Amino acid sequence: MRGLIKKLFNNIYKNQVKRRTDKSFAKRAEWTVRTLVALILVLNLGTIGCIMIFKGEEYREIAADNQLTDTIIEPIRGTIYDRNMTPLATSTAAWILSVNPTEIRRKFRENKQFQDEFYNDLTDNLVRILGVDREETLAKLKKEDSVYQVIKKQVTGAERIELEEFFAQKYVFEYEKEVTKFFFFKTTENKKFKVNAANFFDFENNSNREYAKGNFASTVIGVVNADNKGETGIEAYYDETLQGESGRILTATDVAGRELENPYKAYYDAVEGNGVVLTIDYEIQNYLENALNQAYDSISCDGVYGIVMDVDTGAILALADKPDFDLNNPRVLNENVNTDTLKKFEKGTTEYSTEYSRLLYEQWSSFCVTSNYEPGSSFKIFCASAALEEDIVGSIDEKIYNCSSSTRVADTTYHCANYKAHGAQSLTQGLMNSCNTFFITLGQKLGIETYYKYFEAFGFTERTGIDVSNEAYSVVHKKDKMSKVDLASTSFGQGFRISPIQLITATCAIANGGNLMVPYLVGSVVDEDGNIVSQTEPTVKRKVISEETAAQVRRMMTAVVSDGTGRNAKIDGYAVAGKTASAQKLDDSAEDEVYVASFICFAPADDPEVAILVGVDNTHDGYRSGGAVAAPIAKQVLEPTLEYLNVERKYTPEELSKLSKTTPELIGKTVSAAKSIAAGESLKIKVVGDGDTVISQMPAGLQSIPQGGVIVVYTENSGSPQKVKVPDFTGKTVSQVNALAAECGINIKFSGPTDEAGVKAFDQSVEKGTKIDLGSSITVSFKSENIMTD
């Protein structure tokens, strides 16, 4: 009994101990869990706190980005005008077409069997309407994890209309689907899956750059890329001014990028870019481009270029290069561009693309600003300026040098062109004859130190600062490394390279009395209403030479045109000062010798207003002389420019003797009286009709007619006025032109050095084949082809 009680007691004890142990364990477990929960809570609170303090702004922006669509509103790019506010580059309404690829995939989630068919057909139509690349467009439509892909940035109005017509035609896909009816009965039904492509696309406002004049001033204006950012020319240099400020539309969207039913929207209007007013004058630019085009078509050469500058301010009135390009299709190479290097590569390769881009940028660049060349004999006017300023030469009319055709400096012998000995010469005669040895001698007398002082002063060791990108640096000798032989070559314009813009800028310093100006292309910046925002003021860099020296050099340059190598630029009534040049280009890749023929001039010589530089690059037909090739082109630009600027002609007595006469009034007079009056004026009469009284005449009364010209008079029985086809006068001598004109009944006004033997016509004011009234007058321009040196 006792054993049983003891056993019972022991069991009760063990159970109590176990209960106490279990209770203790439970308490400990409970405490542990509570501690862990508290610790996790503290850690979470700490993490949240850290995020709020240190990352709060970042996560708020991420959340906002996921809830808002930010649409950029492209601003209208500012207009580019000529100096008389003629628009040259404008922006018209265009649109950015974008697509939401995520929405397309969502739409086809349950009908994926039609997705590829939809993609292919949609892509084909986008390619057809917009001209976009097929592979690139298809990749954008299928782009994963994207709610925004741009298909085209500059959709035109016509393209948008065609797109909207296409989008209006909804896609309908038919298919069969198995369905269950009455709990257990299964059958198939014809289903239609409709897709509206318009739901996936969006049009955003943009603008398209347009150039109404096509090729006009193309290398000056420059081009923009697909993002409406300037790449070259004025478009690039003034991009920030023209660009304007983008606007924005913030729209609340869901995760798929779809606009919510009652969305939040915030609008921030775009600000239109300012316009720039060029110093380019539309009329003068036309004169230059027409003359360069004619020269490029008629002369076998690699290219022609020209600049017209206001001598007092440095404003560029015209600047052009040929060949040029169409601003509306700038990425198409001009048909005259040499593409031999491109033919070495296969289309589609990286090498082909790289070479094509190089040729494009070469096409877009202006030789006048971005390239350099040896100036040749035109540089002699600066050597003469330095010699006069330093009193190396006294009177410009005193014969101080005897040319024997060659001179020797150190171990190098130099010759005049064609090894011609000019004999005793004054400085004026030396410039007229373009005597190399004369100017080599002057350079040696000046010495390296003094010569280089003027070389720097005229701006040949620095860029001009013209407001256009990629102005070329000159390639010149360093003063401390310059030898006497280098000085000899430099004295007559060889052995170094400068840009055309440097040359004409330095020449203007001689024209305006000694001030080196900073050339510029933009005269002012205006807002969208035409109000002036800023204006360019002419800037004098420094005084280079005295007014007295400048006047003496101008007088010598006038003699070059009146009686020297520049006589093809003579204009009756306008004294022209100029200098011809033909320089060999430093081109190691060329198989034959390569030359640039050029002519620099300004007028009127006694009170200059405009300067003109014309260059012909690498002539192939044997004419390398600037006097024979470039001077006539400059004259074609200079004469109408001076007339356009209302510069009064001042005729010499010799010019007055060749002036045209004024036609007498003959209407109402008898034929015999008309003949008598015409004879008294040394004019001829041609009668049309068999009546006795003059009822009309050509030219009309009080009109200009050449000396010895013909007046055609019509009598009462003559019928309607007669017409005549203008013949081709080019390439003919003065006597041949006279005979042909008399045969046709046309009056001729002669222009150019017609008193020289061997001159030939190279231009006529009315195109051949044009029908004009019998007795009308046209101007025929002549040039001498006997100018073989510069």
Side-chain angles (χ1 to χ4, degrees), residues 47 67 97 113 189 193 410 458-459 470 777 789:
T47 302
Q67 297 169 15
L97 178 67
Q113 69 271 29
E189 289 184 354
F193 174 51
F458 275 109
N470 301 319
S777 297
T789 64

Side-chain angles (χ1 to χ4, degrees), residues 140 214 284 340 391 403 435 448 505 527 578 613-614 694 724 754:
K140 289 178 179 179
I284 299 175
D340 288 346
D391 289 328
C403 170
C435 178
I448 294 173
T505 301
D527 63 19
L613 171 62
V614 169
V694 175
V724 62
T754 54

Side-chain angles (χ1 to χ4, degrees), residues 247 351 448 584 674:
E351 292 81 4
I448 294 173
Q584 186 175 352

Side-chain angles (χ1 to χ4, degrees), residues 451-676:
Y451 189 91
Y452 212 87
K453 178 178 73 173
Y454 289 95
F455 196 77
E456 289 179 320
F458 275 109
F460 297 122
T461 60
E462 62 188 359
R463 296 198 289 186
T464 65
I466 187 172
D467 49 344
V468 69
S469 302
N470 301 319
E471 181 183 0
Y473 287 97
S474 53
V475 180
V476 300
H477 299 288
K478 300 292 184 184
K479 184 172 67 174
D480 56 352
K481 295 183 179 180
M482 197 174 193
S483 67
K484 286 188 176 182
V485 172
D486 295 331
L487 176 59
S489 299
T490 303
S491 300
F492 66 99
Q494 299 280 9
F496 66 99
R497 298 200 300 270
I498 59 174
S499 64
I501 192 65
Q502 283 179 301
L503 180 61
I504 193 171
T505 301
T507 303
C508 284
I510 294 173
N512 66 29
N515 293 322
L516 185 69
M517 307 301 296
V518 176
Y520 60 99
L521 280 161
V522 170
S524 62
V525 174
V526 296
D527 63 19
E528 58 184 297
D529 296 319
N531 301 309
I532 294 177
V533 176
S534 63
Q535 199 153 4
T536 304
E537 295 297 332
T539 302
V540 179
K541 260 191 178 180
R542 53 184 164 266
K543 187 77 172 178
V544 180
I545 53 175
S546 67
E547 291 189 15
E548 181 183 0
T549 295
Q552 288 181 294
V553 177
R554 288 197 299 268
R555 188 155 72 86
M556 291 190 295
M557 291 174 68
T558 305
V560 170
V561 175
S562 62
D563 299 299
T565 57
R567 54 190 182 276
N568 274 334
K570 287 173 66 173
I571 303 172
D572 288 347
Y574 295 124
V576 180
K579 183 68 189 79
T580 57
S582 56
Q584 186 175 352
K585 288 176 69 176
L586 301 177
D587 189 349
D588 296 332
S589 64
E591 295 180 3
D592 301 317
E593 291 182 343
V594 179
Y595 287 83
V596 175
S598 65
F599 181 66
I600 182 76
C601 65
F602 50 81
D606 57 343
D607 186 18
E609 291 201 23
V610 294
I612 294 178
L613 171 62
V614 169
V616 182
D617 185 22
N618 193 17
T619 57
H620 306 301
D621 54 9
Y623 290 106
R624 296 172 175 171
S625 163
V629 178
I633 304 171
K635 177 189 173 180
Q636 286 178 287
V637 182
L638 183 58
E639 185 167 15
T641 295
L642 293 172
E643 290 176 343
Y644 170 72
L645 296 175
N646 295 316
V647 177
E648 185 181 357
R649 291 181 187 257
K650 298 177 181 177
Y651 294 98
T652 65
E654 182 184 357
E655 290 169 342
L656 281 171
S657 67
K658 298 187 298 181
L659 275 182
S660 300
K661 284 185 171 289
T662 300
T663 54
E665 289 273 17
L666 301 178
I667 296 175
K669 293 181 171 53
T670 63
V671 171
S672 59
K675 287 181 177 179
S676 177

